[in-house]
Amino acid sequence: GAEKIELYGGTRGDVPFPHRRHQEKLDDCNICHSVFPQQAGIIEKLKADGKLEQKFVMNKLCTKCHRERKRAGEPSGPTTCTKCHIKE
C-alpha cells in the first residue's frame, strides 16, 4: 500500500495517515479494511450513503487502538483530535 495517504477528516480538517507504518505494526489489514474497502474516497462515500457512523473510524478504530497500545506500555499514536486533524 501507499506509504502515506490523506484521509477526509470533515470540518476538523483532513488527516495525514502514515499507512505503511500501520501496515507494518498491525500485520492485519482487516483490522481497518473490514470496516471500509481499500478504495480512495471510501470513508466519505460510506458516510454520505449513511453506511458509516460519523466519528466511527476515529473513535472505534484509531484512538481506541492507540489508547489500548498506550495502556499496554507500547508505542502508540495520537489520542486526541487535534494531533491528527490538520485544518488549512
Side-chain angles (χ1 to χ4, degrees), residues 10-74:
T11 58
R12 290 190 173 267
D14 289 344
V15 176
F17 181 71
H19 185 256
R20 188 160 304 138
R21 186 181 327 158
H22 284 79
Q23 286 178 304
E24 292 167 356
K25 294 283 183 190
L26 298 176
D27 292 326
D28 181 4
C29 297
N30 284 319
I31 290 171
C32 298
H33 289 296
S34 64
V35 176
F36 48 89
Q38 296 167 315
Q39 179 182 335
I42 192 64
I43 293 173
E44 303 96 299
K45 181 175 181 351
L46 290 172
K47 284 182 181 180
D49 293 347
K51 296 178 181 176
L52 186 62
E53 185 182 324
Q54 189 162 352
K55 298 185 182 179
F56 179 87
V57 173
M58 179 185 69
N59 291 331
K60 302 292 191 221
L61 293 177
C62 303
T63 55
K64 179 182 178 193
C65 181
H66 291 172
R67 286 184 178 125
E68 287 172 356
R69 292 179 66 87
K70 189 174 183 176
R71 278 193 295 272
E74 300 172 8

